[in-house]
Amino acid sequence: MSAVGTIQATAPQPEAARRIDPDPGALVEAIRAGDVRACARLITGIERGTPGLEPVLRELYRRGGRSRVVGVTGPPGAGKSTLIDRMIGGWRARGATVAVLAIDPSSPFTGGAVLGDRLRMGSHGGDRGVFIRSMASRGQLGGLARAAGDALTVLDAMPWDVVIVETVGVGQNETDIMRHASVVVLLQTPMGGDDVQASKAGITEIGDIFVVNKSDHPDAARTARHLQEMIALSHRLHLERPWVPPVVKTRATEGEGVGELIDRIGECFQALEGGSSFARERRLARVRHRVGEILREQFEKRVSDDGSRWLDALLDPILRRENDPHTVADQLFARMKH
Ligand SMILES: Nc1nc2c(ncn2[C@@H]2O[C@H](COP(=O)(O)OP(=O)(O)OP(=O)(O)O)[C@@H](O)[C@H]2O)c(=O)[nH]1
Ligand SMILES: [Mg+2]
């Protein structure tokens, strides 16, 4: 197992971003060796958009890919952090090391959720085989999914067996973050039958495994049944898929159902991440999304920065109606080399 230490979710210190190792090679080696302090500093740099990290991220990506990246998403308060805490325990008991990246799109670094996650996933303090890190954005929602992807690149290059990414499943941004995971666990809580259908049309597209947490609630069995029906319906439309998402009932506070969930995740990796052409398609879709995400951000930066006065010379003819926005966009696209 890896000789890695535990850092609980901490609010990054202001000087941390400036302490990025100037030698990319040394930083890559430190990360590869499981240096959690180097990892924490690098993720802080990613979070803040510190310039100059690309060479490190490029090299780490090329040397990573061994970890199993599991996404966990679901509505606010569904029990994601409580369940992840139990899953860590389950994987540790099976000898695996685990890193968690908890994405909080709303809170600033010092926000309550970071502290909350520290409390709720705090039962592994002192375990050197566990690393927990929260990541927030300072209102740069657009860049958060890209930053999360980069942070996962870092964790995936370290000697962790399992890397879990947690997001609150409410919007497009969170769904985008889930696209970085190989297997997605979607949490639901017990609810009235109609609510499942009405609120969650299309959720079967996101989840590889469904969890009805808080199964101590009387509506749990009914919710699980409804989910199963929706999954069966969706599967009939996609018979080529080699995996029918199972529904697992859990009671995270008591650890009930967690062993079964871990088994299902293992089976899902077997079915979806092997050498089949379906598995290859899934991996292709992930990296296609990733490249597009980086490309869009680079594009956005060049066109919308304050420094984009360079554009003005091209815009003047549009003002005079001697050119038009479509043509200028085409011309720029053709000229853009990298
Ligand atoms: N009754 C019951 N309560 C649960 C269960 N799992 C979690 N809870 C409680 O639900 C509350 C929210 O749990 P969290 O683990 O913080 O939920 P979360 O989805 O991580 O929440 P956010 O990150 O804020 O979206 C806590 O008070 C938990 O104790 C369960 O299986 N049964
Ligand atoms: Mg949480």
Side-chain angles (χ1 to χ4, degrees):
M1 276 313 124
S2 52
V4 285
T6 298
I7 287 191
Q8 291 294 332
T10 50
Q13 299 306 304
E15 72 274 18
R18 289 197 295 275
R19 278 194 278 110
I20 297 291
D21 198 316
D23 175 0
L27 184 51
V28 168
E29 288 313 320
I31 296 288
R32 294 276 299 152
D35 182 335
V36 291
R37 291 189 182 281
C39 163
R41 281 200 299 275
L42 185 50
I43 292 180
T44 300
I46 290 166
E47 204 166 31
R48 296 179 173 187
T50 303
L53 299 182
E54 283 80 6
V56 176
L57 294 171
R58 283 188 193 127
E59 187 61 21
L60 288 176
Y61 187 89
R62 286 161 187 246
R63 298 177 64 179
R66 196 191 61 89
S67 306
R68 294 182 154 192
V69 182
V70 179
V72 176
T73 191
K80 298 177 292 297
S81 301
T82 312
L83 188 67
I84 288 170
D85 183 58
R86 295 288 184 169
M87 289 161 78
I88 295 170
W91 267 306
R92 293 297 292 135
R94 296 171 192 217
T97 56
V98 188
V100 179
L101 185 69
I103 307 291
D104 187 334
S106 57
S107 88
F109 292 139
T110 51
V114 173
L115 189 61
D117 276 331
R118 192 189 330 192
L119 292 175
R120 284 195 287 268
M121 294 196 279
S123 61
H124 303 282
D127 180 350
R128 293 169 64 80
V130 178
F131 175 90
I132 298 171
R133 169 65 195 243
S134 287
M135 192 169 175
S137 76
R138 285 175 163 162
Q140 303 165 341
L141 260 186
L144 186 56
R146 197 268 309 145
D150 285 342
L152 287 172
T153 295
V154 176
L155 292 172
D156 184 33
M158 293 179 82
W160 305 111
D161 297 310
V162 180
V163 173
I164 303 175
V165 54
E166 173 192 353
T167 70
V168 179
V170 285
Q172 186 62 44
N173 203 55
E174 292 71 29
T175 311
D176 280 351
I177 290 169
M178 283 298 117
R179 296 182 74 150
H180 300 308
S182 302
V183 164
V184 174
V185 175
L186 200 140
L187 250 76
Q188 298 286 294
T189 47
M191 50 187 143
D194 290 345
D195 294 345
V196 183
Q197 250 125 39
S199 67
K200 297 295 169 191
I203 54 168
T204 48
E205 299 300 314
I206 309 171
D208 299 308
I209 295 170
F210 290 82
V211 168
V212 178
N213 189 39
K214 308 197 183 185
S215 61
D216 42 314
H217 190 281
D219 278 337
R222 195 159 51 127
T223 303
R225 243 187 350 263
H226 273 285
L227 281 171
Q228 252 143 4
E229 284 162 15
M230 287 171 63
I231 291 162
L233 203 67
S234 149
H235 192 68
R236 278 201 286 279
L237 300 173
H238 300 282
L239 286 173
E240 77 287 359
R241 292 182 186 171
W243 175 255
V244 183
V247 179
V248 181
K249 280 185 281 182
T250 60
R251 201 172 163 192
T253 39
E254 311 304 317
E256 282 173 31
V258 174
E260 189 195 341
L261 175 58
I262 288 177
D263 288 344
R264 294 290 96 79
I265 292 172
E267 290 163 12
C268 190
F269 269 98
Q270 290 278 320
L272 294 179
E273 291 296 310
S276 70
S277 59
F278 186 85
R280 188 182 139 77
E281 262 316 306
R282 259 173 81 100
R283 283 199 294 273
L284 264 182
R286 273 205 299 279
V287 293
R288 187 181 297 123
H289 177 78
R290 182 88 176 106
V291 170
E293 194 169 70
I294 294 166
L295 197 61
R296 275 190 298 278
E297 196 176 87
Q298 287 180 353
F299 235 81
E300 190 79 3
K301 251 194 208 140
R302 292 199 179 196
V303 178
S304 64
D305 270 6
D306 288 343
S308 66
R309 309 299 298 177
W310 61 273
L311 258 179
D312 290 4
L314 288 161
L315 302 183
D316 270 340
I318 303 180
L319 291 183
R320 294 196 302 272
R321 303 268 163 183
E322 288 161 10
N323 206 339
D324 63 276
H326 277 284
T327 303
V328 167
D330 283 349
Q331 288 166 345
L332 278 173
F333 193 72
R335 272 167 45 177
M336 216 159 277
K337 293 255 168 13
H338 40 246

